[in-house]
Amino acid sequence: MTTPFTTTPPPGHVPVMLAEVLQMLAPRDGATYLDGTFGGGGYARAILAAARCTLWAIDRDPAAIRRGEALQAELRAAEGTSRLHMVEGGFGDMRALLEERDAPALDGVVLDLGVSSFQIDEGARGFSFRHDGPLDMRMGDTGPTAADIVNRTAESDLADILYQYGEERLSRRVARAIVAARAEAPILTTFRLAEIIRSVVPGDRSGIDPATRSFQGLRIHVNDELGQIRSGLEQALDLLAPGGRLVVVSFHSLEDRLVKQAMHRAAGRLPGPSRYDPRSIQARDEAPSFRLLTGRTLRPGEAECRANSRARSARLRAIERLPLVDIPATSPTERRP
């Protein structure tokens, strides 16, 4: 006896802008999709419920893979088979990961950038200063931790990380305070790091915790998030079949800027080279193979923002690969008598 498969996400996970993601992705029966950032599985569950499609899902977090395996079991119980294929790894390596498994061309890709709700809420992961825990911040289980970076990086390099990735304007002051504190004892917990940052960064009218930007900068650096985004966007666009769509939800300006640039470049919207540059002749002859589905970034509605505070900074962009156009063997001018 089968059990019904529902769109209800697991407790503690609320997928952001879900209705808009589904509208832009437009899942259809028989198609193949990729959720490059499985996380809590909210988008994956909704895509699988919206159409009788196949879904590949990537995540480098072993905990997310386990959640995906539970969703696979639920699908098997409901349908007798599983249309979900879980892949452990980073979405910046999606081409190699999918080619290893002989996955077909994709009819759609969705990326939910940044840290997941599960990672933030689990104090032992070290992503948030709201919970005291080890200063880890890794989305996977390999590579240097945030504690390694904080305790070993030179002051000037640490300041650059906080400024470039956290957009912390007082980054040099923060880096100096960190170096002074670690000389007394290693900085190993989220609470201690947050206290150090707060001691030198004053609060402001926004109500945002003074440690927010520095924590963001460390997290992005530890996980090479911007590198993953650059690589993942390029590969996702390349893997789309004609008519396929890429939908991306980002949460801060560094992410959104990369998404906007990649999509506008693919759609031929970025300024080309100078007309005196020989490359401009080639650029004019090459018609774009993509069209933007979102002229401007989409934002969540007021009701969603009230219900889920994490949705407030969300931004959605989408693009579609144009269908192939049949070109006649002879041109109209060649057919004239």
Side-chain angles (χ1 to χ4, degrees), residues 144 146-155 182:
D148 294 329
I149 304 303
V150 164
N151 289 290
R152 300 176 185 173
T153 304
E155 181 178 324
R182 77 189 188 191

Side-chain angles (χ1 to χ4, degrees), residues 90-114:
F91 69 85
D93 300 314
M94 68 173 71
R95 180 186 290 112
L97 292 171
L98 294 178
E99 286 179 352
E100 288 173 1
R101 293 159 176 82
D102 296 322
L106 301 172
D107 297 296
V109 178
V110 60
L111 299 174
D112 179 12
L113 304 179

Side-chain angles (χ1 to χ4, degrees), residues 289-318:
S289 54
F290 291 86
R291 72 179 180 101
L292 297 175
L293 298 176
T294 50
R296 293 183 178 182
T297 180
L298 300 184
R299 304 299 295 267
E302 292 183 9
E304 181 174 4
C305 291
R306 286 195 300 269
N308 180 12
S309 61
R310 290 174 181 168
R312 293 173 184 167
S313 59
R315 309 164 190 184
L316 183 151
R317 295 184 186 271

Side-chain angles (χ1 to χ4, degrees), residues 117-186:
S117 301
F118 287 96
Q119 291 167 335
I120 292 176
D121 293 338
E122 189 177 344
R125 302 298 297 273
F127 283 98
S128 175
F129 44 76
R130 291 186 300 150
H131 312 280
D132 195 17
L135 195 56
D136 193 318
M137 295 194 187
R138 294 174 300 172
M139 293 180 177
D141 55 5
T142 61
T145 66
D148 294 329
I149 304 303
V150 164
N151 289 290
R152 300 176 185 173
T153 304
E155 181 178 324
S156 60
D157 293 336
L158 188 56
D160 288 343
I161 290 170
L162 303 181
Y163 181 77
Q164 293 173 10
Y165 301 139
E167 299 179 298
E168 174 52 74
R169 59 186 180 83
L170 300 178
S171 61
R172 298 197 181 281
R173 183 187 298 180
V174 174
R176 189 162 52 248
I178 289 173
V179 170
R182 77 189 188 191
E184 299 177 3

Side-chain angles (χ1 to χ4, degrees), residues 20-242:
E20 293 86 347
V21 167
L22 289 177
Q23 179 184 3
M24 289 296 162
L25 194 64
R28 66 180 190 276
D29 292 350
T32 301
Y33 299 95
L34 169 68
D35 182 348
T37 50
F38 181 83
Y43 292 149
R45 180 182 291 272
I47 293 167
L48 290 164
R52 290 285 300 182
C53 58
T54 298
L55 180 68
W56 293 80
I58 295 174
D59 206 295
R60 55 178 159 175
D61 187 345
I65 297 298
R66 291 192 292 272
R67 287 190 290 271
E69 291 169 348
L71 181 55
Q72 286 177 319
E74 187 178 339
L75 270 167
R76 281 192 293 270
E79 302 177 353
T81 185
S82 177
R83 297 177 281 119
L84 172 63
H85 305 280
M86 296 301 304
V87 181
E88 186 170 350
F91 69 85
D93 300 314
M94 68 173 71
R95 180 186 290 112
L97 292 171
L98 294 178
E99 286 179 352
E100 288 173 1
R101 293 159 176 82
D102 296 322
L106 301 172
D107 297 296
V109 178
V110 60
L111 299 174
D112 179 12
L113 304 179
V115 64
S116 78
S117 301
F118 287 96
Q119 291 167 335
I120 292 176
D121 293 338
E122 189 177 344
R125 302 298 297 273
F127 283 98
S128 175
F129 44 76
R130 291 186 300 150
H131 312 280
D132 195 17
L135 195 56
D136 193 318
M137 295 194 187
R138 294 174 300 172
M139 293 180 177
D141 55 5
T142 61
T145 66
D148 294 329
I149 304 303
V150 164
N151 289 290
R152 300 176 185 173
T153 304
E155 181 178 324
S156 60
D157 293 336
L158 188 56
D160 288 343
I161 290 170
L162 303 181
Y163 181 77
Q164 293 173 10
Y165 301 139
E167 299 179 298
E168 174 52 74
R169 59 186 180 83
L170 300 178
S171 61
R172 298 197 181 281
R173 183 187 298 180
V174 174
R176 189 162 52 248
I178 289 173
V179 170
R182 77 189 188 191
E184 299 177 3
I187 304 169
L188 302 177
T189 67
T190 55
F191 271 15
R192 182 161 185 243
L193 177 60
E195 289 172 358
I196 294 167
I197 297 169
R198 294 180 188 126
S199 70
V200 295
V201 177
D204 56 34
R205 295 179 180 178
S206 70
I208 297 174
D209 192 290
T212 300
R213 290 181 291 272
S214 292
F215 267 65
Q216 172 186 296
L218 285 170
R219 189 203 81 216
I220 290 175
H221 176 74
V222 165
N223 297 287
D224 186 28
E225 290 181 37
L226 300 188
Q228 284 278 304
I229 292 171
R230 292 188 187 95
S231 179
L233 290 171
E234 178 183 350
Q235 294 176 44
L237 291 168
D238 187 52
L239 292 170
L240 284 177

